[in-house]
Amino acid sequence: MKRTQKLAAAITVMTAIPLVGLALAMPANAAPADLLEAVGVPATGLCTDVVAPAANLAGVANGSWSKSWGVWISPTLGGPVCVRTLWYNNSTQLWDRR
């Protein structure tokens, strides 16, 4: 077996093992992990003024944004960002804001 084939086989085994363990450890009705959404602070400087439909991947209404700090907004310095946490409600089968 060539070295690349051995490496591919090893990667396949290593990635399959955690998935099996994860599937066995989680109940069937477990909710997905919370999501953190983050956007740049609007020109007003207020997170209450955030309107970012493109950032909202879960279909949740706008709102519940608060100010935080993110390195990604300016790779050398970081800067203020607006963030919010979304959680999945198993009862309604919808995402909601925290």
Side-chain angles (χ1 to χ4, degrees):
M1 186 181 283
K2 292 182 181 178
R3 182 179 174 158
T4 54
Q5 291 172 321
K6 287 180 184 178
L7 182 59
I11 290 172
T12 302
V13 169
M14 288 187 311
T15 56
I17 291 170
L19 291 177
V20 170
L22 183 62
L24 295 175
M26 287 180 58
N29 61 349
D34 288 357
L35 297 177
L36 178 69
E37 293 184 315
V39 296
V41 176
T44 63
L46 302 172
C47 288
T48 54
D49 293 338
V50 168
V51 178
N56 181 6
L57 302 176
V60 177
N62 197 40
S64 297
W65 297 96
S66 60
K67 204 171 265 190
S68 188
W69 188 265
V71 174
W72 62 269
I73 197 78
S74 174
T76 55
L77 302 173
V81 295
C82 296
V83 298
R84 71 178 182 173
T85 302
L86 304 181
W87 66 283
Y88 189 77
N89 185 334
N90 268 342
S91 298
T92 63
Q93 300 288 299
L94 297 171
W95 289 90
D96 204 352
R97 304 174 291 203
R98 285 232 185 256

